[in-house]
Amino acid sequence: MKKFVGLMYHSLGDYQGNTYNIDINNFKDQIFWLKEEGYIVEGFRGFINRKGTNKWPERYALLSFDDGYKSFLKAADILNGIGFTGTFFVTKDWCRNRRNFLSDLEIKELGSTQEIGSHTLSHPNLTLIPQKSIHYELFESKKWIEDIIQRRTQSFSAPGGFINSKVINIAHEVGYKLIGNSKEWWNRLDYVLSSNVLNRVAIRRSYSLTTFKNIINININFFLKRRIRAYLLYFPKSILSDKQIRKINKLSSF
């Protein structure tokens, strides 16, 4: 295996108007197809553990969920039923203060069968805040999770995909061994092993099973379209506030 795809989900059936909210039946179709095709599907912890063995399956995909929705529990039930694992990244402030987000007790329950990773305390754009604040967001969210699940967590997902060398270096200093971004491109195994940074494709509500198969099979046309979209959105985002950026993300669903 020289190339593989990282999959990034958010919620299952929580918010009907959200492009990242996936119909649960569509999620099942995608996951069951991977099983039928003989893919090994696991989370960040599985990848970290494989680094020590150098045993890489021919058909392989990494699976993760961002933010901390209650529907993570539904996803975990489906994954547990077919022997797949994933990493579920949680944001402390959102879990503590928002409806339809996991409680500490539910995070502990989820962590008994799946991996829990950090998505920071407050979901900031880490590239725009001071170094001390980055360290606080990453260290304290890690400590919060470990206090709940009573085991180490070594995985981190950058909110909004905003990441740079400063964020990466601090994440490594804090103790994270694998970092997820939101760059919609496939992964080269040698690059991930050397950088400890993983590209992830955001799965959207509008994606058909055919589109999902194109992602897994690394269809160049799909990925080139996503890269063009990312470039078109990058320049206006670089001069806007976080609030304006979230508005653009909400409106853009092509």
Side-chain angles (χ1 to χ4, degrees), residues 35 70 86 98 112 118 153 160 168 187 191-192 230 240 245:
K35 183 70 172 181
K70 283 187 182 292
R98 295 190 179 190
S112 66
S118 167
T153 184
I168 292 170
N187 293 283
Y191 175 79
V192 181
L240 296 176
I245 288 168

Side-chain angles (χ1 to χ4, degrees), residues 215-230:
I215 294 169
I216 296 296
N217 292 325
I218 309 182
N219 179 286
I220 189 63
N221 290 328
F222 170 86
F223 283 95
L224 285 176
K225 288 178 181 177
R226 300 312 299 173
R227 181 59 62 87
I228 291 170
R229 175 187 182 275

Side-chain angles (χ1 to χ4, degrees), residues 9-20:
Y9 290 88
H10 290 78
S11 62
L12 301 181
D14 292 272
Y15 302 107
Q16 296 302 317
N18 190 325
T19 189
Y20 296 115

Side-chain angles (χ1 to χ4, degrees), residues 108 140-151:
K108 183 176 182 180
E140 292 297 330
S141 60
K142 187 175 191 292
K143 182 177 183 298
W144 168 65
I145 291 168
E146 292 176 344
D147 286 345
I148 292 173
I149 64 175
Q150 292 296 296
R151 65 181 300 176

Side-chain angles (χ1 to χ4, degrees), residues 110-127:
L110 179 62
S112 66
T113 60
Q114 300 286 332
E115 180 189 10
I116 307 295
S118 167
H119 202 40
T120 71
L121 295 175
S122 62
H123 206 276
N125 180 336
L126 292 170
T127 65

